[in-house]
Amino acid sequence: MCSSDLLLSALLVAAAAWTKYEGLYFGLLPWLLIVLYNAWQKITWKQNTLSGALPAIALAAPWPLYTLMRGLPLSPHGSGSIGFHPEALPHIFEQLFALGTFGLHWWAIAIMLSMLLWQERKRLTGFLAQNPLLLWGVLALVLLLGVYLCTEEVRGVLKRDNFSRAMLLPALLLTMGLTRVCCGK
């Protein structure tokens, strides 16, 4: 990836962190992990740091710092309690695979991603590192499912008021990543 592409990506992910808290947690943080992992693997730490990580952090950091200094929480609903909510599992599957919000989209993602990961199972880490959109999509999905299954955000699944909207990010990332892998880059 060239420096200008990395810088543009840094600007956009920093903007996401300013737009909503989800942009900070599911945009900036996974993006930084991928950029830093890429730098470590390819030993392009200087380009990744100067054109990617530093601009993203410098542009995104003022908002969370401001909110913390004002005594506001870094989550939309306060800190809340953490605990596993297994009652949400059937609702998650229902909203992803049975209701009309996504149609067949999550079925296609689940089938294609399962087949692809099975095919690449012997070199899974390297495969995901070579396909950062898929890695980012998987990270966003796992993080979001963790939030909905282990925090008070479970109400968003149970009441069907925000889960489908939150699943748009991993759906888009996984769709783009699967398209790039399956149709060529």
Side-chain angles (χ1 to χ4, degrees), residues 2-23:
C2 70
S3 294
S4 59
D5 290 342
L6 193 57
L7 182 58
L8 177 61
S9 178
L11 294 173
L12 292 173
V13 79
W18 274 79
T19 304
K20 288 187 71 93
Y21 287 119
E22 287 91 342

Side-chain angles (χ1 to χ4, degrees), residues 114-173:
S114 298
M115 289 176 15
L116 188 61
L117 294 178
W118 178 258
Q119 180 182 345
E120 300 292 340
R121 68 187 177 278
K122 292 185 179 177
R123 57 175 215 100
L124 194 57
T125 306
F127 172 74
L128 287 173
Q130 292 170 346
N131 296 286
L133 281 173
L134 281 180
L135 179 58
W136 193 354
V138 168
L139 285 172
L141 178 63
V142 169
L143 289 171
L144 279 167
L145 290 177
V147 166
Y148 281 103
L149 286 170
C150 299
T151 69
E152 292 177 11
E153 288 297 316
V154 69
R155 69 162 189 74
V157 173
L158 300 177
K159 293 184 177 184
R160 295 184 184 164
D161 66 353
N162 65 7
F163 180 74
S164 294
R165 176 182 50 82
M167 286 293 116
L168 287 173
L169 175 67
L172 292 172
L173 289 169

